[in-house]
Amino acid sequence: DLGIATEESYNIAMDAILQRKRLRWKRNASRDDSSTPTDVICAADQLEELLQQQSCQDVPISITTYNKVLEAYAVCATPRGDRNYAKRADALLENMMQDDHYNVDSLIHTLHAWSWQQANLQDGACAQRAHELLQLIVEEYAVEDAVQMQCYDWVLEAWSKSSSPGSRQKADDMFSKIKQLNATMNTDCGIFNTETYSNVILAWTKCADEAGSAERAHALLQEMIHHYKDGSFPPDSEPELIAFNGCITAWARIARPDKGERILWDLEQVSRDCQRLVPNAKTYNSVLHAHVKSRDKLKALDKAIAIVQHMEEKCKHEPAVTPDSFTYNTLMKAWVQSGQAHAPQEAEAILSKMEQLALRRKLVEITTRNYNVVINAYAKSKDRLAASKAHALLRRMEASNNNDNHVQPDIISYTSVIECYAKSCDFDASLEAEKLLQNAMKRYELTHDKTLMPNLRTYTMTIQALALCPRQGNVVKARELLTRLTELYDSTRDDSLRPNEYPYNYVINCAANTMGTNQEKVQAFQIATRTYQEMRNSHLVQPDSFTHAFWIKACNNLLPLNSELHTKCVSIAFEQCKKDGLVTNQVLNRLVQGSSTSVVESLLETTTFNQERGQQLQVQDLPSSWSRNTAQQQPRRPRGFKR
């Protein structure tokens, strides 16, 4: 009968429940109905209910009982979930303080709760509240050094997780206080240990982009190693791997992979004297990734190869460092960005190796991205067989018997192979590009998978492939693709389909490259004219310097040179180009190649033009206002786009 239970009875029950610490368990909401849904509770929830029951008895409750509930809140506090035990502890403490019915232990338990409530890489509100309680304890109470040190350690851990400005310095201040207290104590309380160092190191590594942060974190790491070697820490306290990994990442953020690599070799040496400190693949991957992010891509490749080879050898005796998917993905990236002529072949060899390891379930998973990296490498290469090799990889993906969706091609796969054909000298390149676009569209219509939906780049690369292959009818097909793209964007307003200057320019260039009968050339010129005028009147795109160069090229190739129509079209375009400040050497060369001396002199506003020297004419020889926008107006050229 709870009605006659004494406070001592409650305390016995609370002590027993507190033994469960952070353990969670399910409890039936109703003991009479086993079908009633269960909820998950912990010691804090149970003690809170017991306190409420005791409060209903209208009997005074001691500080000791309240503190047991506060202790439960502290033990169970966590940033996960929505129970916010620290906030509940603060509410209880506030009531206790209003009644002047609290002591220093009440403050300590609440501080502890707020410290553990602090989430990693989140605003430091919890750490700040814990810090305020710490100041109150230090200013108003004379607590034992060991207790005070424990409070500093909790607040240090909270600040080490915070992302708020100034967190690193506050964590460092806590660390300094702990060191001072430790130096004055006659006995080792076990609080000042490698975990203390790890927390302050992590506080600095979280803001490693700030000046001096990586250096400070590294210095603390070396200090920790020194103290560990001279036996300053408790026997069971070993350096923690997270501190090494954090420092490596900190140096990587400021492009110092050499420092990160030095930490890796220090780690290998220290781990020989430890029982639990074991480098793992993540540690090596951090250094590997840091090198690949560095500016010297050839040096990065050499380092990446050496590190992976070291991992492959070391894992024979230490399985924890077995290379994983990230390892090989990063090595593949190192090859691709190195610019080496044989980089695509090396990347494909790594892919094949990953496939073999995946079959043996050796911590490696093959994804669509792996294939796309290799296909894209071929797209950026000068290999004459790049298109066929990239297409072969795409067929492997399409024909895969693996039901795992991760190895199915996506629109990036198709677009990259189309790009290969757009750069290919193969006479059938445009046909292959069209087929690939059609296959991608069929797959998308069948599956409605957004990752298979053709986008602006897909259409643009296909139009470019048509433009660079002078097949009969290509200009009509190119124009149809542009029309389809614009209609799709108008109907969907999907940003991935929003046209830019590239597809328009490539249609005009496709028209300019048309070879055939006069009728075919007339048709091509009509398409070029329509496309050019659309750009001039569009609210989405505007002619750029390449537009004018391709348009003048189309006039030169499709109209009788120096005819009235040719002169009129070229003159209007060049005058507009001058007005817009878009004259470039390409525009100038097209003008000189197809126009008479008198027309060129008129447009260049000179009477001393020499036709023989016209090919050497540069925009620097002309008024600067004519080319004032050529540097600013050109968008950053997407990879693989060739004009």
Side-chain angles (χ1 to χ4, degrees), residues 18-56:
L18 270 172
Q19 294 300 314
R20 293 189 171 191
K21 297 185 178 179
R22 300 174 69 86
L23 180 68
R24 263 67 171 168
W25 65 90
K26 290 184 178 181
R27 177 192 58 182
N28 282 332
S30 172
R31 294 184 179 179
D32 299 329
D33 185 2
S34 60
S35 65
T36 303
T38 60
D39 56 350
V40 177
I41 63 172
C42 65
D45 303 306
Q46 194 84 71
L47 264 68
E48 188 178 75
E49 292 177 6
L50 291 175
L51 180 63
Q52 290 172 353
Q53 292 174 9
Q54 191 173 356
S55 300
C56 295

Side-chain angles (χ1 to χ4, degrees), residues 173-423:
D173 291 343
M174 297 296 103
F175 178 72
S176 297
K177 291 289 187 181
I178 294 171
K179 287 181 70 174
Q180 291 173 11
L181 287 169
N182 186 69
T184 60
M185 292 178 63
N186 296 325
T187 59
D188 184 4
C189 64
I191 296 174
F192 184 66
N193 53 28
T194 56
E195 185 177 354
T196 309
Y197 270 94
S198 294
N199 284 330
V200 70
I201 288 170
L202 291 177
W204 285 98
T205 61
K206 284 184 173 68
C207 53
D209 53 334
E210 298 181 23
S213 295
E215 289 88 343
R216 175 60 175 158
H218 196 166
L220 287 165
L221 179 69
Q222 291 177 320
E223 186 178 305
M224 177 182 70
I225 293 172
H226 173 74
H227 286 319
Y228 173 72
K229 288 182 176 179
D230 67 16
S232 299
F233 296 132
D236 62 342
S237 180
E238 292 184 352
E240 297 183 332
L241 184 60
I242 192 173
F244 290 88
N245 288 349
C247 285
I248 291 171
T249 303
W251 282 119
R253 288 200 196 103
I254 58 174
R256 289 299 306 270
D258 56 317
K259 295 283 190 177
E261 187 172 350
R262 178 180 174 183
I263 292 172
L264 174 61
W265 307 138
D266 287 344
L267 169 60
E268 284 199 345
Q269 184 178 13
V270 174
S271 65
R272 297 190 185 104
D273 301 323
C274 298
Q275 297 295 321
R276 297 185 301 276
L277 179 62
V278 180
N280 56 24
K282 181 179 179 180
T283 312
Y284 288 87
N285 287 343
S286 297
V287 179
L288 183 64
H289 187 242
H291 278 299
V292 173
K293 286 174 61 180
S294 65
R295 294 182 179 179
D296 189 339
K297 300 307 180 185
L298 288 177
K299 182 178 179 181
L301 175 60
D302 291 339
K303 288 289 187 180
I305 292 172
I307 290 171
V308 174
Q309 288 176 344
H310 181 73
M311 292 176 70
E312 290 176 333
E313 183 63 31
K314 192 177 182 66
C315 73
K316 296 176 182 177
H317 310 288
E318 297 181 24
V321 299
T322 301
D324 56 18
S325 296
F326 186 90
T327 310
Y328 290 114
N329 288 341
T330 309
L331 179 59
M332 195 182 294
K333 183 178 180 180
W335 271 110
V336 171
Q337 68 182 20
S338 70
Q340 299 278 21
H342 59 296
Q345 289 81 1
E346 294 290 346
E348 185 171 0
I350 295 170
L351 176 63
S352 298
K353 183 173 187 176
M354 292 178 69
E355 289 175 326
Q356 294 299 317
L357 291 170
L359 289 174
R360 304 204 304 266
R361 302 185 183 278
K362 294 287 187 178
L363 301 178
V364 173
E365 178 186 6
I366 301 294
T367 66
T368 301
R369 184 176 180 276
N370 300 131
Y371 285 91
N372 288 348
V373 167
V374 182
I375 292 173
N376 192 51
Y378 278 119
K380 302 296 181 287
S381 74
K382 297 181 180 180
D383 188 340
R384 296 182 62 183
L385 299 176
S388 61
K389 292 176 180 178
H391 204 160
L393 284 169
L394 179 64
R395 291 191 184 99
R396 274 164 61 183
M397 298 173 74
E398 291 177 327
S400 175
N401 292 323
N402 191 339
N403 292 325
D404 187 348
N405 291 329
H406 292 302
V407 296
Q408 298 303 310
D410 58 15
I411 197 57
I412 297 175
S413 316
Y414 285 100
T415 303
S416 296
V417 179
I418 292 173
E419 182 181 349
C420 287
Y421 279 113
K423 297 178 178 180

